[in-house]
Amino acid sequence: IIKIEAIQNQRLYDKYWNERVSMIKLMGEDMINEKDLFHGTGSEDVMTTIENEGFRKEFNNTTIWGEGTYFARDASYSVKYCRSKGDVKQLFLCMVLCGDSHIGSRDIKLTNWPIRSDSSEMIYDSLVNNMYKPSIYVIHDDARAYPMFIIHFK
């Protein structure tokens, strides 16, 4: 690791915090499933957009676990998608509200996200690659992720 750069964007943080408060009211603090996860992207323009405006699920091209914005438990997964400046790569470390998860699949689109099996008739908060030990999380609501840091590394 060469350096870790903090992202301080009060507007984005406020959106994240408001979503967090809303989820706590809806499901309780112990169920919001807040995680620190990694996100890699290959473009400097997209990195700047995320820093300034937040995540935008419509820019994601990966759909193996469904449409949405992808985050990984392990940095080694996100490194494949990292932007490089010469021999230095950059990676986001993010706070992500994962909530109630459902197993993902390629055929899940933003328009047919799975509905919870309880009586709420609400869609799941995230999709995962494995229900028992998830390492990939996909979210549909961009306000549920806050980019905390950019990690610069070789």
Side-chain angles (χ1 to χ4, degrees):
I1 294 178
I2 296 168
K3 72 176 178 175
I4 299 174
E5 179 183 351
I7 297 172
Q8 297 183 3
N9 183 323
Q10 190 64 51
R11 185 184 57 78
L12 284 182
Y13 185 78
D14 289 347
K15 285 172 63 176
Y16 176 84
W17 188 259
N18 288 337
E19 192 62 31
R20 187 179 190 279
V21 168
S22 177
M23 286 179 74
I24 289 170
K25 286 178 183 175
L26 184 66
M27 58 181 38
E29 190 162 9
D30 57 331
M31 297 299 290
I32 64 172
N33 199 14
E34 188 172 33
K35 298 193 171 293
D36 293 340
L37 300 171
F38 296 97
H39 180 85
T41 186
S43 160
E44 185 169 357
D45 290 344
V46 175
M47 296 257 328
T48 301
T49 298
I50 291 170
E51 289 178 64
N52 294 327
E53 300 175 28
F55 290 95
R56 304 252 318 261
K57 59 189 164 276
E58 61 270 20
F59 290 138
N60 183 28
N61 297 319
T62 304
T63 60
I64 191 167
W65 301 110
E67 289 184 349
T69 303
Y70 278 62
F71 297 91
R73 177 192 66 205
D74 305 318
S76 59
Y77 179 86
S78 294
V79 165
K80 308 183 256 199
Y81 302 95
C82 285
R83 181 178 90 67
S84 294
K85 258 190 176 174
D87 61 346
V88 177
K89 294 186 177 202
Q90 296 178 346
L91 177 70
F92 285 108
L93 177 59
C94 309
M95 292 187 301
V96 183
L97 298 167
C98 299
D100 195 8
S101 299
H102 187 276
I103 191 73
S105 70
R106 187 177 302 280
D107 62 331
I108 297 174
K109 308 292 182 213
L110 292 168
T111 55
N112 71 343
W113 203 268
I115 297 174
R116 294 180 190 181
S117 56
D118 62 16
S119 61
S120 71
E121 297 186 18
M122 295 179 67
I123 61 175
Y124 280 92
D125 302 301
S126 61
L127 302 173
V128 294
N129 64 325
N130 182 308
M131 287 301 295
Y132 303 104
K133 194 172 181 180
S135 61
I136 307 297
Y137 293 83
V138 185
I139 63 168
H140 59 80
D141 187 336
D142 296 325
R144 292 185 181 182
Y146 178 73
M148 295 185 300
F149 300 103
I150 299 174
I151 302 168
H152 303 258
F153 64 98
K154 286 186 177 186

